Amino acid sequence: MRHHRSDVVEHAIAVLDAYGLADLTMRRLASELDVRPSALYHHFANKQTLLAAVADELLARGLRPVDEGEWDVRLTQAASQVRDALLAWRDGAELVATVHAFGLGGRAAYDHVAEALEGCGLDEQWRATAARTVLHLVFGHATAEQTHVQASSAGAIDGEVAAVDDFSDGLSLVVAGIRAEVDSRRAS
């Protein structure tokens, strides 16, 4: 049976969600698709390009246009959407953060956050720095959340997921810092 690129990505997402990133191998994916591993290379040059396509698809499924409004409201909504998209899938945060760091994919996460900063009063360089800072908060927080859940469910650590979710508070602190920079530039 011949599979299309989209079939391979869809099955890779299912393997990711069922087994985790460490077990998303070309061999396992080929087995799920009932093909030889070499057949996957017709669609993807290597595992890294497959992972980038999976990351891009996870983001495409989770990101929606942000509401109209002030830049800080848009930024908060955009960052929250990226976080939700990452947390929707097992190891989604690690996958997207990794391919983004390698420059292979996951660009939609950055673009989503950066777009929310349009019109905030910062020049392009400062907007890019602000977007990367927010994105690093999102990646780090979501990865920590997923790691804690997995370690707890595997019995590696005692306890449930932390009752305090401080993502919103941390994001508010970062947005306040960006707002302070915007205000200082307007004053000068």
Side-chain angles (χ1 to χ4, degrees), residues 18 21 27 39 48 50 57 61 85 94 121 140 143 157-158:
L21 184 57
R27 186 174 306 282
Q48 290 73 25
L50 168 67
E57 181 62 24
R61 292 179 183 190
E94 181 182 357
T143 299
I157 60 173
D158 291 330

Side-chain angles (χ1 to χ4, degrees), residues 71-73 75-76 79 113 117 120 122 126-141 166-183:
W71 69 265
D72 52 346
V73 174
L75 179 58
T76 299
V113 170
L117 284 160
C120 72
L122 296 176
W126 277 98
R127 282 194 319 271
T129 299
R132 285 190 302 272
T133 300
V134 169
L135 199 55
H136 291 148
L137 169 70
V138 172
F139 285 161
H141 202 281
D166 64 352
F167 175 75
S168 294
D169 292 339
L171 181 57
S172 292
L173 286 171
V174 172
V175 171
I178 297 168
R179 188 179 303 108
E181 183 64 25
V182 167
D183 292 345

Side-chain angles (χ1 to χ4, degrees), residues 5 9 12-13 16 21 24 26 44-60 92 94-108:
R5 181 182 172 94
V9 171
I13 291 170
L16 173 71
L21 184 57
L24 176 52
M26 297 300 257
F44 299 98
N46 51 44
K47 182 179 177 183
Q48 290 73 25
T49 57
L50 168 67
L51 294 178
V54 171
D56 289 343
E57 181 62 24
L58 298 184
L59 291 168
E94 181 182 357
L95 171 63
V96 174
T98 299
V99 301
H100 183 270
F102 291 169
L104 299 173
R107 176 76 187 189

Side-chain angles (χ1 to χ4, degrees), residues 79-90:
S80 296
Q81 281 186 10
V82 172
R83 176 180 175 251
D84 291 347
L86 302 178
L87 294 177
W89 305 93
R90 181 176 179 175

